[in-house]
Amino acid sequence: IAQRLDGLDQKVLPDFQKRADDLLLHVQQDEAERRTQNPKLNEREEALKADCANWQKQLDDLNAQVAARARWLGFVFNAAKIHALDGERQRAIGRLQAINSQLAQVREEWKDLRERTSKEEADWKLQWQATIQQMGKLRQERDYLAQDTDAV
């Protein structure tokens, strides 16, 4: 009984406590990493959305200019200017498509980060709970042996 108590106190319980502490530390480090990545991704998304709004406004302005010049017979007299404006419109549309693609990529990165982190957190939580549960059983055994040494 004395050997078992000594083994529990000196080796087994400290090992379980270290394992539980390591799992908790790992979860905290991953959470801190996610907190640093989240603002970066959010910042990128907000910058892209602002850029998208600017290009959309520019496209709307170009569309309005083309529409104004193309009224009545204006498309005949302003054909060269309308053609130049149309070229600018096409560049704006291309830029909007590129920005939307980048925006989708940022959102996908965030989704992947959130899914990966959620899965990892769930796994670590299960490991931590199992470790704490086992440690509780070992502490109960230690307490039982220490209190009822004579009876055992």
Side-chain angles (χ1 to χ4, degrees):
I1 294 172
Q3 283 179 326
R4 179 65 178 156
L5 282 171
D6 190 46
L8 286 170
D9 287 337
Q10 300 300 320
K11 179 77 175 128
V12 177
L13 286 171
D15 286 349
F16 272 93
Q17 185 64 52
K18 183 179 180 342
R19 193 177 319 153
D21 292 345
D22 289 347
L23 285 168
L24 190 59
L25 179 65
H26 196 79
V27 167
Q28 290 170 343
Q29 288 172 341
D30 277 1
E31 186 175 324
E33 179 184 337
R34 188 175 61 247
R35 282 188 190 142
T36 60
Q37 284 182 334
N38 184 19
K40 291 176 186 175
L41 289 172
N42 190 40
E43 205 174 284
R44 279 179 48 202
E45 181 181 15
E46 293 304 319
L48 287 170
K49 287 186 339 190
D51 201 21
C52 184
N54 289 336
W55 280 98
Q56 185 63 50
K57 183 184 179 314
Q58 189 175 9
L59 179 63
D60 292 343
D61 291 346
L62 290 169
N63 285 335
Q65 288 178 26
V66 168
R69 292 182 190 273
R71 268 192 216 125
W72 298 84
L73 292 176
F75 66 89
V76 174
F77 299 113
N78 296 315
K81 184 62 178 171
I82 290 173
H83 182 69
L85 289 172
D86 191 50
E88 288 181 44
R89 282 180 54 231
Q90 294 305 319
R91 282 190 290 282
I93 290 170
R95 186 66 185 133
L96 275 172
Q97 289 172 342
I99 290 170
N100 284 329
S101 173
Q102 291 173 350
L103 195 55
Q105 182 181 4
V106 167
R107 288 175 178 162
E108 188 66 30
E109 283 179 42
W110 169 243
K111 179 183 163 202
D112 290 346
L113 175 67
R114 189 178 63 221
E115 287 175 358
R116 184 184 71 236
T117 304
S118 295
K119 183 185 179 310
E120 289 173 353
E121 274 184 14
D123 291 345
W124 291 322
K125 184 177 180 180
L126 287 174
Q127 291 176 25
W128 183 79
Q129 287 173 340
T131 302
I132 293 297
Q133 185 179 22
Q134 184 64 32
M135 196 165 62
K137 288 178 183 178
L138 291 170
R139 282 189 177 145
Q140 281 180 335
E141 178 187 353
R142 186 213 168 277
D143 292 345
Y144 172 73
L145 292 174
Q147 290 173 0
D148 296 331
T149 303
D150 293 337
V152 175

PDB file of all heavy atoms in Angstrom, residues 55-92:
ATOM      1  N   TRP A  55     -14.476  50.409 -56.730  1.00  0.00           N
ATOM      2  CA  TRP A  55     -14.548  49.997 -58.134  1.00  0.00           C
ATOM      3  C   TRP A  55     -15.987  49.923 -58.622  1.00  0.00           C
ATOM      4  O   TRP A  55     -16.286  50.247 -59.772  1.00  0.00           O
ATOM      5  CB  TRP A  55     -13.825  48.664 -58.349  1.00  0.00           C
ATOM      6  CG  TRP A  55     -12.346  48.852 -58.457  1.00  0.00           C
ATOM      7  CD1 TRP A  55     -11.420  48.678 -57.478  1.00  0.00           C
ATOM      8  CD2 TRP A  55     -11.631  49.285 -59.609  1.00  0.00           C
ATOM      9  NE1 TRP A  55     -10.168  48.967 -57.941  1.00  0.00           N
ATOM     10  CE2 TRP A  55     -10.264  49.332 -59.258  1.00  0.00           C
ATOM     11  CE3 TRP A  55     -11.989  49.623 -60.907  1.00  0.00           C
ATOM     12  CZ2 TRP A  55      -9.269  49.728 -60.149  1.00  0.00           C
ATOM     13  CZ3 TRP A  55     -10.999  50.006 -61.800  1.00  0.00           C
ATOM     14  CH2 TRP A  55      -9.656  50.059 -61.420  1.00  0.00           C
ATOM     15  N   GLN A  56     -16.901  49.524 -57.754  1.00  0.00           N
ATOM     16  CA  GLN A  56     -18.321  49.475 -58.130  1.00  0.00           C
ATOM     17  C   GLN A  56     -18.847  50.879 -58.397  1.00  0.00           C
ATOM     18  O   GLN A  56     -19.588  51.101 -59.349  1.00  0.00           O
ATOM     19  CB  GLN A  56     -19.146  48.790 -57.035  1.00  0.00           C
ATOM     20  CG  GLN A  56     -20.601  48.595 -57.406  1.00  0.00           C
ATOM     21  CD  GLN A  56     -20.786  47.687 -58.610  1.00  0.00           C
ATOM     22  OE1 GLN A  56     -20.231  46.600 -58.668  1.00  0.00           O
ATOM     23  NE2 GLN A  56     -21.560  48.146 -59.583  1.00  0.00           N
ATOM     24  N   LYS A  57     -18.437  51.836 -57.565  1.00  0.00           N
ATOM     25  CA  LYS A  57     -18.848  53.226 -57.775  1.00  0.00           C
ATOM     26  C   LYS A  57     -18.285  53.736 -59.100  1.00  0.00           C
ATOM     27  O   LYS A  57     -18.982  54.396 -59.872  1.00  0.00           O
ATOM     28  CB  LYS A  57     -18.367  54.100 -56.620  1.00  0.00           C
ATOM     29  CG  LYS A  57     -18.819  55.550 -56.739  1.00  0.00           C
ATOM     30  CD  LYS A  57     -18.255  56.399 -55.633  1.00  0.00           C
ATOM     31  CE  LYS A  57     -18.668  57.847 -55.725  1.00  0.00           C
ATOM     32  NZ  LYS A  57     -18.564  58.456 -57.012  1.00  0.00           N
ATOM     33  N   GLN A  58     -17.025  53.423 -59.352  1.00  0.00           N
ATOM     34  CA  GLN A  58     -16.409  53.845 -60.614  1.00  0.00           C
ATOM     35  C   GLN A  58     -17.149  53.225 -61.799  1.00  0.00           C
ATOM     36  O   GLN A  58     -17.407  53.900 -62.800  1.00  0.00           O
ATOM     37  CB  GLN A  58     -14.929  53.437 -60.624  1.00  0.00           C
ATOM     38  CG  GLN A  58     -14.147  54.004 -61.766  1.00  0.00           C
ATOM     39  CD  GLN A  58     -12.659  53.675 -61.655  1.00  0.00           C
ATOM     40  OE1 GLN A  58     -12.240  52.887 -60.812  1.00  0.00           O
ATOM     41  NE2 GLN A  58     -11.868  54.270 -62.527  1.00  0.00           N
ATOM     42  N   LEU A  59     -17.511  51.958 -61.696  1.00  0.00           N
ATOM     43  CA  LEU A  59     -18.254  51.290 -62.769  1.00  0.00           C
ATOM     44  C   LEU A  59     -19.620  51.944 -62.957  1.00  0.00           C
ATOM     45  O   LEU A  59     -20.042  52.182 -64.094  1.00  0.00           O
ATOM     46  CB  LEU A  59     -18.410  49.796 -62.460  1.00  0.00           C
ATOM     47  CG  LEU A  59     -19.183  48.975 -63.488  1.00  0.00           C
ATOM     48  CD1 LEU A  59     -18.467  48.974 -64.837  1.00  0.00           C
ATOM     49  CD2 LEU A  59     -19.380  47.555 -62.991  1.00  0.00           C
ATOM     50  N   ASP A  60     -20.295  52.245 -61.863  1.00  0.00           N
ATOM     51  CA  ASP A  60     -21.597  52.912 -61.952  1.00  0.00           C
ATOM     52  C   ASP A  60     -21.468  54.280 -62.629  1.00  0.00           C
ATOM     53  O   ASP A  60     -22.311  54.659 -63.455  1.00  0.00           O
ATOM     54  CB  ASP A  60     -22.225  53.059 -60.568  1.00  0.00           C
ATOM     55  CG  ASP A  60     -22.621  51.723 -59.956  1.00  0.00           C
ATOM     56  OD1 ASP A  60     -22.723  50.723 -60.709  1.00  0.00           O
ATOM     57  OD2 ASP A  60     -22.815  51.672 -58.717  1.00  0.00           O
ATOM     58  N   ASP A  61     -20.413  55.027 -62.279  1.00  0.00           N
ATOM     59  CA  ASP A  61     -20.174  56.331 -62.911  1.00  0.00           C
ATOM     60  C   ASP A  61     -19.938  56.176 -64.410  1.00  0.00           C
ATOM     61  O   ASP A  61     -20.472  56.953 -65.215  1.00  0.00           O
ATOM     62  CB  ASP A  61     -18.983  57.036 -62.267  1.00  0.00           C
ATOM     63  CG  ASP A  61     -19.257  57.484 -60.840  1.00  0.00           C
ATOM     64  OD1 ASP A  61     -20.443  57.503 -60.430  1.00  0.00           O
ATOM     65  OD2 ASP A  61     -18.276  57.797 -60.118  1.00  0.00           O
ATOM     66  N   LEU A  62     -19.136  55.189 -64.771  1.00  0.00           N
ATOM     67  CA  LEU A  62     -18.872  54.948 -66.200  1.00  0.00           C
ATOM     68  C   LEU A  62     -20.149  54.554 -66.935  1.00  0.00           C
ATOM     69  O   LEU A  62     -20.394  55.013 -68.058  1.00  0.00           O
ATOM     70  CB  LEU A  62     -17.796  53.862 -66.367  1.00  0.00           C
ATOM     71  CG  LEU A  62     -16.384  54.274 -65.960  1.00  0.00           C
ATOM     72  CD1 LEU A  62     -15.474  53.051 -65.905  1.00  0.00           C
ATOM     73  CD2 LEU A  62     -15.830  55.312 -66.921  1.00  0.00           C
ATOM     74  N   ASN A  63     -20.956  53.702 -66.307  1.00  0.00           N
ATOM     75  CA  ASN A  63     -22.229  53.314 -66.927  1.00  0.00           C
ATOM     76  C   ASN A  63     -23.130  54.534 -67.133  1.00  0.00           C
ATOM     77  O   ASN A  63     -23.783  54.667 -68.174  1.00  0.00           O
ATOM     78  CB  ASN A  63     -22.950  52.264 -66.078  1.00  0.00           C
ATOM     79  CG  ASN A  63     -22.324  50.894 -66.192  1.00  0.00           C
ATOM     80  OD1 ASN A  63     -21.677  50.571 -67.181  1.00  0.00           O
ATOM     81  ND2 ASN A  63     -22.510  50.087 -65.172  1.00  0.00           N
ATOM     82  N   ALA A  64     -23.156  55.425 -66.140  1.00  0.00           N
ATOM     83  CA  ALA A  64     -23.977  56.635 -66.250  1.00  0.00           C
ATOM     84  C   ALA A  64     -23.456  57.534 -67.378  1.00  0.00           C
ATOM     85  O   ALA A  64     -24.253  58.105 -68.150  1.00  0.00           O
ATOM     86  CB  ALA A  64     -23.982  57.389 -64.925  1.00  0.00           C
ATOM     87  N   GLN A  65     -22.132  57.638 -67.504  1.00  0.00           N
ATOM     88  CA  GLN A  65     -21.552  58.459 -68.577  1.00  0.00           C
ATOM     89  C   GLN A  65     -21.886  57.884 -69.951  1.00  0.00           C
ATOM     90  O   GLN A  65     -22.239  58.620 -70.869  1.00  0.00           O
ATOM     91  CB  GLN A  65     -20.037  58.563 -68.417  1.00  0.00           C
ATOM     92  CG  GLN A  65     -19.590  59.419 -67.266  1.00  0.00           C
ATOM     93  CD  GLN A  65     -18.079  59.441 -67.129  1.00  0.00           C
ATOM     94  OE1 GLN A  65     -17.352  59.249 -68.099  1.00  0.00           O
ATOM     95  NE2 GLN A  65     -17.605  59.662 -65.910  1.00  0.00           N
ATOM     96  N   VAL A  66     -21.768  56.573 -70.072  1.00  0.00           N
ATOM     97  CA  VAL A  66     -22.104  55.930 -71.349  1.00  0.00           C
ATOM     98  C   VAL A  66     -23.573  56.141 -71.666  1.00  0.00           C
ATOM     99  O   VAL A  66     -23.939  56.481 -72.806  1.00  0.00           O
ATOM    100  CB  VAL A  66     -21.746  54.417 -71.324  1.00  0.00           C
ATOM    101  CG1 VAL A  66     -22.352  53.690 -72.514  1.00  0.00           C
ATOM    102  CG2 VAL A  66     -20.243  54.232 -71.296  1.00  0.00           C
ATOM    103  N   ALA A  67     -24.436  55.960 -70.682  1.00  0.00           N
ATOM    104  CA  ALA A  67     -25.870  56.136 -70.900  1.00  0.00           C
ATOM    105  C   ALA A  67     -26.193  57.575 -71.300  1.00  0.00           C
ATOM    106  O   ALA A  67     -27.026  57.818 -72.193  1.00  0.00           O
ATOM    107  CB  ALA A  67     -26.641  55.755 -69.647  1.00  0.00           C
ATOM    108  N   ALA A  68     -25.521  58.553 -70.662  1.00  0.00           N
ATOM    109  CA  ALA A  68     -25.769  59.958 -70.980  1.00  0.00           C
ATOM    110  C   ALA A  68     -25.313  60.288 -72.400  1.00  0.00           C
ATOM    111  O   ALA A  68     -25.975  61.030 -73.125  1.00  0.00           O
ATOM    112  CB  ALA A  68     -25.061  60.857 -69.975  1.00  0.00           C
ATOM    113  N   ARG A  69     -24.185  59.748 -72.802  1.00  0.00           N
ATOM    114  CA  ARG A  69     -23.653  60.042 -74.143  1.00  0.00           C
ATOM    115  C   ARG A  69     -24.401  59.282 -75.243  1.00  0.00           C
ATOM    116  O   ARG A  69     -24.357  59.672 -76.399  1.00  0.00           O
ATOM    117  CB  ARG A  69     -22.170  59.721 -74.203  1.00  0.00           C
ATOM    118  CG  ARG A  69     -21.346  60.649 -73.347  1.00  0.00           C
ATOM    119  CD  ARG A  69     -19.876  60.335 -73.479  1.00  0.00           C
ATOM    120  NE  ARG A  69     -19.094  61.057 -72.507  1.00  0.00           N
ATOM    121  CZ  ARG A  69     -18.621  62.279 -72.683  1.00  0.00           C
ATOM    122  NH1 ARG A  69     -18.877  62.918 -73.789  1.00  0.00           N
ATOM    123  NH2 ARG A  69     -17.913  62.854 -71.739  1.00  0.00           N
ATOM    124  N   ALA A  70     -25.060  58.188 -74.884  1.00  0.00           N
ATOM    125  CA  ALA A  70     -25.716  57.357 -75.895  1.00  0.00           C
ATOM    126  C   ALA A  70     -27.181  57.730 -76.105  1.00  0.00           C
ATOM    127  O   ALA A  70     -27.846  57.116 -76.928  1.00  0.00           O
ATOM    128  CB  ALA A  70     -25.605  55.885 -75.501  1.00  0.00           C
ATOM    129  N   ARG A  71     -27.683  58.731 -75.412  1.00  0.00           N
ATOM    130  CA  ARG A  71     -29.080  59.143 -75.598  1.00  0.00           C
ATOM    131  C   ARG A  71     -29.301  59.683 -77.002  1.00  0.00           C
ATOM    132  O   ARG A  71     -28.447  60.330 -77.555  1.00  0.00           O
ATOM    133  CB  ARG A  71     -29.439  60.217 -74.575  1.00  0.00           C
ATOM    134  CG  ARG A  71     -30.008  59.621 -73.351  1.00  0.00           C
ATOM    135  CD  ARG A  71     -30.648  60.674 -72.457  1.00  0.00           C
ATOM    136  NE  ARG A  71     -30.361  60.240 -71.097  1.00  0.00           N
ATOM    137  CZ  ARG A  71     -29.777  60.953 -70.186  1.00  0.00           C
ATOM    138  NH1 ARG A  71     -29.441  62.189 -70.435  1.00  0.00           N
ATOM    139  NH2 ARG A  71     -29.544  60.467 -69.009  1.00  0.00           N
ATOM    140  N   TRP A  72     -30.481  59.408 -77.434  1.00  0.00           N
ATOM    141  CA  TRP A  72     -30.926  59.848 -78.753  1.00  0.00           C
ATOM    142  C   TRP A  72     -29.902  59.478 -79.806  1.00  0.00           C
ATOM    143  O   TRP A  72     -29.598  58.322 -79.975  1.00  0.00           O
ATOM    144  CB  TRP A  72     -31.217  61.353 -78.755  1.00  0.00           C
ATOM    145  CG  TRP A  72     -32.314  61.707 -77.801  1.00  0.00           C
ATOM    146  CD1 TRP A  72     -32.199  61.925 -76.473  1.00  0.00           C
ATOM    147  CD2 TRP A  72     -33.685  61.830 -78.104  1.00  0.00           C
ATOM    148  NE1 TRP A  72     -33.411  62.196 -75.909  1.00  0.00           N
ATOM    149  CE2 TRP A  72     -34.349  62.143 -76.912  1.00  0.00           C
ATOM    150  CE3 TRP A  72     -34.436  61.720 -79.275  1.00  0.00           C
ATOM    151  CZ2 TRP A  72     -35.717  62.346 -76.848  1.00  0.00           C
ATOM    152  CZ3 TRP A  72     -35.796  61.947 -79.203  1.00  0.00           C
ATOM    153  CH2 TRP A  72     -36.417  62.252 -77.992  1.00  0.00           C
ATOM    154  N   LEU A  73     -29.366  60.413 -80.502  1.00  0.00           N
ATOM    155  CA  LEU A  73     -28.361  60.119 -81.527  1.00  0.00           C
ATOM    156  C   LEU A  73     -26.954  60.384 -81.006  1.00  0.00           C
ATOM    157  O   LEU A  73     -25.995  60.385 -81.774  1.00  0.00           O
ATOM    158  CB  LEU A  73     -28.622  60.968 -82.782  1.00  0.00           C
ATOM    159  CG  LEU A  73     -29.891  60.619 -83.557  1.00  0.00           C
ATOM    160  CD1 LEU A  73     -30.080  61.589 -84.710  1.00  0.00           C
ATOM    161  CD2 LEU A  73     -29.838  59.202 -84.062  1.00  0.00           C
ATOM    162  N   GLY A  74     -26.828  60.553 -79.707  1.00  0.00           N
ATOM    163  CA  GLY A  74     -25.534  60.824 -79.101  1.00  0.00           C
ATOM    164  C   GLY A  74     -24.540  59.700 -79.315  1.00  0.00           C
ATOM    165  O   GLY A  74     -23.331  59.939 -79.405  1.00  0.00           O
ATOM    166  N   PHE A  75     -25.025  58.473 -79.468  1.00  0.00           N
ATOM    167  CA  PHE A  75     -24.094  57.360 -79.680  1.00  0.00           C
ATOM    168  C   PHE A  75     -23.368  57.504 -81.010  1.00  0.00           C
ATOM    169  O   PHE A  75     -22.259  57.030 -81.181  1.00  0.00           O
ATOM    170  CB  PHE A  75     -24.811  56.007 -79.595  1.00  0.00           C
ATOM    171  CG  PHE A  75     -25.812  55.750 -80.678  1.00  0.00           C
ATOM    172  CD1 PHE A  75     -25.430  55.162 -81.873  1.00  0.00           C
ATOM    173  CD2 PHE A  75     -27.146  56.098 -80.511  1.00  0.00           C
ATOM    174  CE1 PHE A  75     -26.357  54.917 -82.862  1.00  0.00           C
ATOM    175  CE2 PHE A  75     -28.071  55.860 -81.491  1.00  0.00           C
ATOM    176  CZ  PHE A  75     -27.690  55.274 -82.679  1.00  0.00           C
ATOM    177  N   VAL A  76     -23.956  58.213 -81.978  1.00  0.00           N
ATOM    178  CA  VAL A  76     -23.292  58.442 -83.267  1.00  0.00           C
ATOM    179  C   VAL A  76     -22.208  59.497 -83.111  1.00  0.00           C
ATOM    180  O   VAL A  76     -21.082  59.323 -83.583  1.00  0.00           O
ATOM    181  CB  VAL A  76     -24.326  58.880 -84.346  1.00  0.00           C
ATOM    182  CG1 VAL A  76     -23.632  59.261 -85.633  1.00  0.00           C
ATOM    183  CG2 VAL A  76     -25.355  57.800 -84.572  1.00  0.00           C
ATOM    184  N   PHE A  77     -22.535  60.587 -82.437  1.00  0.00           N
ATOM    185  CA  PHE A  77     -21.591  61.688 -82.299  1.00  0.00           C
ATOM    186  C   PHE A  77     -20.497  61.404 -81.259  1.00  0.00           C
ATOM    187  O   PHE A  77     -19.407  61.961 -81.328  1.00  0.00           O
ATOM    188  CB  PHE A  77     -22.333  62.984 -81.928  1.00  0.00           C
ATOM    189  CG  PHE A  77     -23.322  63.419 -82.956  1.00  0.00           C
ATOM    190  CD1 PHE A  77     -24.686  63.402 -82.688  1.00  0.00           C
ATOM    191  CD2 PHE A  77     -22.896  63.821 -84.225  1.00  0.00           C
ATOM    192  CE1 PHE A  77     -25.595  63.794 -83.642  1.00  0.00           C
ATOM    193  CE2 PHE A  77     -23.809  64.212 -85.173  1.00  0.00           C
ATOM    194  CZ  PHE A  77     -25.172  64.201 -84.903  1.00  0.00           C
ATOM    195  N   ASN A  78     -20.809  60.548 -80.303  1.00  0.00           N
ATOM    196  CA  ASN A  78     -19.867  60.263 -79.211  1.00  0.00           C
ATOM    197  C   ASN A  78     -19.331  58.832 -79.267  1.00  0.00           C
ATOM    198  O   ASN A  78     -18.918  58.288 -78.252  1.00  0.00           O
ATOM    199  CB  ASN A  78     -20.556  60.477 -77.862  1.00  0.00           C
ATOM    200  CG  ASN A  78     -20.970  61.897 -77.631  1.00  0.00           C
ATOM    201  OD1 ASN A  78     -20.195  62.804 -77.885  1.00  0.00           O
ATOM    202  ND2 ASN A  78     -22.202  62.100 -77.185  1.00  0.00           N
ATOM    203  N   ALA A  79     -19.311  58.230 -80.440  1.00  0.00           N
ATOM    204  CA  ALA A  79     -18.908  56.826 -80.569  1.00  0.00           C
ATOM    205  C   ALA A  79     -17.503  56.589 -80.032  1.00  0.00           C
ATOM    206  O   ALA A  79     -17.254  55.613 -79.322  1.00  0.00           O
ATOM    207  CB  ALA A  79     -19.011  56.369 -82.020  1.00  0.00           C
ATOM    208  N   ALA A  80     -16.562  57.462 -80.336  1.00  0.00           N
ATOM    209  CA  ALA A  80     -15.176  57.273 -79.883  1.00  0.00           C
ATOM    210  C   ALA A  80     -15.097  57.373 -78.364  1.00  0.00           C
ATOM    211  O   ALA A  80     -14.429  56.557 -77.709  1.00  0.00           O
ATOM    212  CB  ALA A  80     -14.267  58.311 -80.532  1.00  0.00           C
ATOM    213  N   LYS A  81     -15.781  58.362 -77.801  1.00  0.00           N
ATOM    214  CA  LYS A  81     -15.749  58.534 -76.349  1.00  0.00           C
ATOM    215  C   LYS A  81     -16.464  57.361 -75.655  1.00  0.00           C
ATOM    216  O   LYS A  81     -15.993  56.857 -74.633  1.00  0.00           O
ATOM    217  CB  LYS A  81     -16.417  59.864 -75.971  1.00  0.00           C
ATOM    218  CG  LYS A  81     -16.354  60.190 -74.516  1.00  0.00           C
ATOM    219  CD  LYS A  81     -14.928  60.334 -74.027  1.00  0.00           C
ATOM    220  CE  LYS A  81     -14.915  60.724 -72.563  1.00  0.00           C
ATOM    221  NZ  LYS A  81     -13.608  60.674 -71.974  1.00  0.00           N
ATOM    222  N   ILE A  82     -17.590  56.919 -76.231  1.00  0.00           N
ATOM    223  CA  ILE A  82     -18.314  55.769 -75.664  1.00  0.00           C
ATOM    224  C   ILE A  82     -17.442  54.521 -75.724  1.00  0.00           C
ATOM    225  O   ILE A  82     -17.403  53.738 -74.774  1.00  0.00           O
ATOM    226  CB  ILE A  82     -19.656  55.558 -76.392  1.00  0.00           C
ATOM    227  CG1 ILE A  82     -20.618  56.703 -76.047  1.00  0.00           C
ATOM    228  CG2 ILE A  82     -20.276  54.214 -76.012  1.00  0.00           C
ATOM    229  CD1 ILE A  82     -21.918  56.676 -76.843  1.00  0.00           C
ATOM    230  N   HIS A  83     -16.703  54.356 -76.817  1.00  0.00           N
ATOM    231  CA  HIS A  83     -15.809  53.194 -76.951  1.00  0.00           C
ATOM    232  C   HIS A  83     -14.710  53.246 -75.880  1.00  0.00           C
ATOM    233  O   HIS A  83     -14.380  52.222 -75.269  1.00  0.00           O
ATOM    234  CB  HIS A  83     -15.199  53.165 -78.360  1.00  0.00           C
ATOM    235  CG  HIS A  83     -14.313  52.001 -78.593  1.00  0.00           C
ATOM    236  ND1 HIS A  83     -14.781  50.706 -78.680  1.00  0.00           N
ATOM    237  CD2 HIS A  83     -12.962  51.917 -78.725  1.00  0.00           C
ATOM    238  CE1 HIS A  83     -13.769  49.879 -78.876  1.00  0.00           C
ATOM    239  NE2 HIS A  83     -12.646  50.592 -78.907  1.00  0.00           N
ATOM    240  N   ALA A  84     -14.146  54.434 -75.650  1.00  0.00           N
ATOM    241  CA  ALA A  84     -13.111  54.586 -74.617  1.00  0.00           C
ATOM    242  C   ALA A  84     -13.691  54.305 -73.230  1.00  0.00           C
ATOM    243  O   ALA A  84     -13.070  53.621 -72.411  1.00  0.00           O
ATOM    244  CB  ALA A  84     -12.516  55.985 -74.675  1.00  0.00           C
ATOM    245  N   LEU A  85     -14.887  54.825 -72.975  1.00  0.00           N
ATOM    246  CA  LEU A  85     -15.541  54.570 -71.696  1.00  0.00           C
ATOM    247  C   LEU A  85     -15.856  53.090 -71.516  1.00  0.00           C
ATOM    248  O   LEU A  85     -15.752  52.545 -70.412  1.00  0.00           O
ATOM    249  CB  LEU A  85     -16.823  55.399 -71.568  1.00  0.00           C
ATOM    250  CG  LEU A  85     -16.652  56.901 -71.377  1.00  0.00           C
ATOM    251  CD1 LEU A  85     -17.998  57.606 -71.471  1.00  0.00           C
ATOM    252  CD2 LEU A  85     -15.988  57.208 -70.051  1.00  0.00           C
ATOM    253  N   ASP A  86     -16.228  52.437 -72.606  1.00  0.00           N
ATOM    254  CA  ASP A  86     -16.517  51.003 -72.541  1.00  0.00           C
ATOM    255  C   ASP A  86     -15.259  50.211 -72.187  1.00  0.00           C
ATOM    256  O   ASP A  86     -15.324  49.235 -71.438  1.00  0.00           O
ATOM    257  CB  ASP A  86     -17.116  50.515 -73.862  1.00  0.00           C
ATOM    258  CG  ASP A  86     -17.658  49.119 -73.744  1.00  0.00           C
ATOM    259  OD1 ASP A  86     -18.431  48.862 -72.785  1.00  0.00           O
ATOM    260  OD2 ASP A  86     -17.306  48.261 -74.598  1.00  0.00           O
ATOM    261  N   GLY A  87     -14.123  50.624 -72.722  1.00  0.00           N
ATOM    262  CA  GLY A  87     -12.852  49.977 -72.358  1.00  0.00           C
ATOM    263  C   GLY A  87     -12.561  50.126 -70.870  1.00  0.00           C
ATOM    264  O   GLY A  87     -12.128  49.174 -70.203  1.00  0.00           O
ATOM    265  N   GLU A  88     -12.808  51.331 -70.337  1.00  0.00           N
ATOM    266  CA  GLU A  88     -12.620  51.553 -68.903  1.00  0.00           C
ATOM    267  C   GLU A  88     -13.605  50.709 -68.095  1.00  0.00           C
ATOM    268  O   GLU A  88     -13.255  50.168 -67.038  1.00  0.00           O
ATOM    269  CB  GLU A  88     -12.812  53.035 -68.574  1.00  0.00           C
ATOM    270  CG  GLU A  88     -11.686  53.919 -69.056  1.00  0.00           C
ATOM    271  CD  GLU A  88     -11.907  55.378 -68.682  1.00  0.00           C
ATOM    272  OE1 GLU A  88     -12.299  55.630 -67.518  1.00  0.00           O
ATOM    273  OE2 GLU A  88     -11.703  56.240 -69.546  1.00  0.00           O
ATOM    274  N   ARG A  89     -14.819  50.601 -68.595  1.00  0.00           N
ATOM    275  CA  ARG A  89     -15.825  49.764 -67.917  1.00  0.00           C
ATOM    276  C   ARG A  89     -15.365  48.312 -67.851  1.00  0.00           C
ATOM    277  O   ARG A  89     -15.512  47.656 -66.818  1.00  0.00           O
ATOM    278  CB  ARG A  89     -17.170  49.836 -68.667  1.00  0.00           C
ATOM    279  CG  ARG A  89     -17.957  51.078 -68.401  1.00  0.00           C
ATOM    280  CD  ARG A  89     -19.285  51.121 -69.166  1.00  0.00           C
ATOM    281  NE  ARG A  89     -20.077  49.943 -68.915  1.00  0.00           N
ATOM    282  CZ  ARG A  89     -20.614  49.171 -69.869  1.00  0.00           C
ATOM    283  NH1 ARG A  89     -20.465  49.439 -71.134  1.00  0.00           N
ATOM    284  NH2 ARG A  89     -21.343  48.120 -69.544  1.00  0.00           N
ATOM    285  N   GLN A  90     -14.826  47.817 -68.943  1.00  0.00           N
ATOM    286  CA  GLN A  90     -14.359  46.424 -68.972  1.00  0.00           C
ATOM    287  C   GLN A  90     -13.214  46.206 -67.982  1.00  0.00           C
ATOM    288  O   GLN A  90     -13.157  45.170 -67.311  1.00  0.00           O
ATOM    289  CB  GLN A  90     -13.930  46.024 -70.394  1.00  0.00           C
ATOM    290  CG  GLN A  90     -15.067  45.986 -71.394  1.00  0.00           C
ATOM    291  CD  GLN A  90     -16.200  45.086 -70.948  1.00  0.00           C
ATOM    292  OE1 GLN A  90     -16.000  43.999 -70.425  1.00  0.00           O
ATOM    293  NE2 GLN A  90     -17.425  45.569 -71.138  1.00  0.00           N
ATOM    294  N   ARG A  91     -12.309  47.190 -67.874  1.00  0.00           N
ATOM    295  CA  ARG A  91     -11.219  47.083 -66.889  1.00  0.00           C
ATOM    296  C   ARG A  91     -11.790  47.092 -65.469  1.00  0.00           C
ATOM    297  O   ARG A  91     -11.341  46.344 -64.605  1.00  0.00           O
ATOM    298  CB  ARG A  91     -10.213  48.216 -67.073  1.00  0.00           C
ATOM    299  CG  ARG A  91      -9.256  47.980 -68.234  1.00  0.00           C
ATOM    300  CD  ARG A  91      -8.121  48.996 -68.239  1.00  0.00           C
ATOM    301  NE  ARG A  91      -8.560  50.351 -68.586  1.00  0.00           N
ATOM    302  CZ  ARG A  91      -8.816  50.780 -69.812  1.00  0.00           C
ATOM    303  NH1 ARG A  91      -8.676  49.971 -70.829  1.00  0.00           N
ATOM    304  NH2 ARG A  91      -9.193  52.033 -70.015  1.00  0.00           N
ATOM    305  N   ALA A  92     -12.772  47.941 -65.238  1.00  0.00           N
ATOM    306  CA  ALA A  92     -13.399  48.003 -63.910  1.00  0.00           C
ATOM    307  C   ALA A  92     -14.102  46.685 -63.586  1.00  0.00           C
ATOM    308  O   ALA A  92     -14.007  46.185 -62.463  1.00  0.00           O
ATOM    309  CB  ALA A  92     -14.383  49.174 -63.844  1.00  0.00           C
TER     310      ALA A  92
END
